[in-house]
Amino acid sequence: MLAVSLVQDFSKPLIIAATAGEENVVFCNLYDAATKTRIDSKWNRDADWVAIIDSVQTKLQISQNSHIVSGEPILF
């Protein structure tokens, strides 16, 4: 989620690569699909998760609303 919060333009394709951790843990890496560059962020146990989620949701809504073309799917 921290890496997702760094994305400014959700109209561009992203790659989410999931890796199994121990028991019920899944780790994910996020990449810019065009450049194959990893979108990296440092872990912050004190992150304001509510603010991060709100910010990502707002960016997704803006991106979705500005890129809707009749009959075309929205890719995330």
Side-chain angles (χ1 to χ4, degrees), residues 7-20:
V7 175
Q8 295 300 314
D9 184 359
F10 283 99
S11 69
K12 297 179 181 177
L14 298 169
I15 297 170
I16 300 172
T19 306

Side-chain angles (χ1 to χ4, degrees), residues 10 50 52-62:
F10 283 99
V50 172
I52 290 170
I53 291 167
D54 285 345
S55 172
V56 169
Q57 287 178 328
T58 299
K59 289 178 194 176
L60 284 169
Q61 288 172 344
I62 291 168

Side-chain angles (χ1 to χ4, degrees), residues 5 13 16 18 30 33 38 40 44-45 52 58 60 64 73-75:
S5 70
I16 300 172
L30 186 64
R38 184 175 171 191
D40 198 17
N44 178 359
R45 77 185 288 174
I52 290 170
T58 299
L60 284 169
Q64 183 178 17
I74 299 170
L75 305 175

Side-chain angles (χ1 to χ4, degrees), residues 24-44:
N24 61 350
V25 176
V26 176
F27 297 100
C28 293
N29 290 316
L30 186 64
Y31 298 88
D32 178 311
T35 64
K36 308 296 188 269
T37 304
R38 184 175 171 191
I39 300 170
D40 198 17
S41 66
K42 299 289 182 192
W43 171 247
N44 178 359

